[in-house]
Amino acid sequence: MGVMTSTETPLDEKAIIAAAERALSDIAEIRAEVSKVIFGQEQVVENTLIAVLSGGHALLVGVPGLAKTKLVTTLGTVLGLNANRIQFTPDLMPSDILGTEVMDQDENGRRSFRFVKGPVFAQLLMADEINRASPRTQSALLQSMQEYHITMAGQRYDLPAPFHVLATQNPLEQEGTYPLPEAQLDRFLLQVDVLYPDLAAERQILLDTTGLSEAKARSIIDAPRLQEIQSLIRQMPVSDTVVDAILSLVRSARPGHGNTMTDRHVAWGPGPRAGQALMLCARARALYQGRLAPSLDDVHALAEPVLEHRMALTFAARAEGMSVRDVIAGLVKQARG
């Protein structure tokens, strides 16, 4: 997750309101522009944009053909970000992602090494089918996601700012894949489940994408403006009620913390990073929906994308046909009273 740099100074209340109103206008334009190209899938677009506005990375999980790649390409255009795409395969090497050193020879015959940057040097990186690459290659990407730089031959190379990874994963085909370890899944701010479109959206897809021309998105903001909005989100006020709700929800998802349903079904639960993700994303969701402060509804709505990849069920719960989603839905229902 990004951090505020020392050159940024906190805004006072009036300045925050003025900046938020300008951000609301920008976000409304972003939403409208994305909707010209991506039909239906409002929840997917919302959660993916929330992850980016919060300064984090997202894992998009869904079967092929649901416009995941198109969504990432469209976001790159609309947000004015330099975007790259990597198709992960079992033989992909870390150097294919990070870059490699090549030997140059000048006119005097002197030889020297020069670093050629790999596709990870982008502001928006699509890691397509991330679970197809070997653990070694996965870890190279996941380290860069956390550290925002890479080290090659002892030399540090900073990644562009902002830097966001939107990775995709096919939940069905597991043959020949390398599932991400839980500690690496935790690096993703949100897991966004991409489901089939509804009937009206699918009808619009058929009509609008099979003619001579297709709608194309245009740029609404640029990278510096995105960073301004990300900084603003970190300064939005959060009430004690919302903070308490976040703590209560995250802690209730951990076995051994007094929740009977969790103790029965959950093998291990989310760590403090889940609470951090909820704090940031609740603010971003409020702004995305045109509000200046997050509410309990934001916390409850984000519980599934924040917690789903940070929990594991017991063998007995899986044998009963339970899913992590079922447990989270139960916890949210308890929280709502």
Side-chain angles (χ1 to χ4, degrees), residues 47-124:
N47 286 346
T48 308
L49 266 170
I50 284 171
V52 173
L53 293 173
S54 301
H57 314 290
L59 180 66
L60 280 67
V61 178
V63 299
L66 297 181
K68 297 187 292 295
T69 303
K70 192 168 190 176
L71 171 61
V72 178
T73 307
T74 303
L75 289 182
T77 302
V78 173
L79 299 176
L81 301 179
N82 168 30
N84 279 340
R85 175 176 176 266
I86 304 171
Q87 179 67 53
F88 278 64
T89 57
D91 59 350
L92 199 71
M93 299 296 289
S95 58
D96 296 327
I97 294 173
L98 305 180
T100 187
E101 287 199 313
V102 297
M103 185 176 285
D104 282 343
Q105 184 170 315
D106 63 17
E107 61 274 7
N108 299 319
R110 282 195 300 262
R111 293 176 178 177
S112 60
F113 283 103
R114 174 171 57 90
F115 178 61
V116 178
K117 292 179 176 179
V120 76
F121 286 87
Q123 292 168 322
L124 186 67

Side-chain angles (χ1 to χ4, degrees), residues 42-229:
E42 287 89 357
Q43 197 62 58
V44 172
V45 172
E46 177 175 317
N47 286 346
T48 308
L49 266 170
I50 284 171
V52 173
L53 293 173
S54 301
H57 314 290
L59 180 66
L60 280 67
V61 178
V63 299
L66 297 181
K68 297 187 292 295
T69 303
K70 192 168 190 176
L71 171 61
V72 178
T73 307
T74 303
L75 289 182
T77 302
V78 173
L79 299 176
L81 301 179
N82 168 30
N84 279 340
R85 175 176 176 266
I86 304 171
Q87 179 67 53
F88 278 64
T89 57
D91 59 350
L92 199 71
M93 299 296 289
S95 58
D96 296 327
I97 294 173
L98 305 180
T100 187
E101 287 199 313
V102 297
M103 185 176 285
D104 282 343
Q105 184 170 315
D106 63 17
E107 61 274 7
N108 299 319
R110 282 195 300 262
R111 293 176 178 177
S112 60
F113 283 103
R114 174 171 57 90
F115 178 61
V116 178
K117 292 179 176 179
V120 76
F121 286 87
Q123 292 168 322
L124 186 67
L125 179 68
M126 179 171 194
D128 216 347
E129 293 195 287
I130 190 172
N131 56 330
R132 290 221 168 273
S134 68
R136 186 180 172 196
T137 304
Q138 287 176 6
S139 66
L141 174 64
L142 290 153
Q143 184 180 5
S144 65
M145 286 166 54
Q146 185 65 18
E147 306 295 338
Y148 293 92
H149 70 263
I150 70 161
T151 304
M152 187 67 64
Q155 182 73 34
R156 171 176 164 149
Y157 299 92
D158 289 326
L159 294 170
F163 175 66
H164 301 284
V165 173
L166 299 179
T168 70
Q169 193 167 287
N170 178 351
L172 300 180
E173 194 180 350
Q174 296 303 324
E175 190 177 337
T177 64
Y178 303 85
L180 290 174
E182 286 75 13
Q184 295 181 349
L185 283 171
D186 199 26
R187 304 295 181 203
F188 290 98
L189 198 66
L190 296 180
Q191 175 175 319
V192 182
D193 290 332
V194 186
L195 307 176
Y196 292 110
D198 61 28
L199 178 61
E202 194 159 2
R203 175 184 290 274
Q204 194 175 2
I205 290 168
L206 292 179
L207 295 173
D208 287 22
T209 62
T210 58
L212 287 173
S213 62
E214 275 190 58
K216 284 189 169 43
R218 63 188 173 89
S219 178
I220 299 296
I221 62 171
D222 56 15
R225 177 61 185 140
L226 176 59
Q227 289 178 292
E228 285 176 15
I229 297 173

Side-chain angles (χ1 to χ4, degrees), residues 283-294:
R283 289 163 163 157
R285 185 177 188 268
L287 199 62
Y288 186 86
Q289 297 199 342
R291 292 174 281 114
L292 301 184

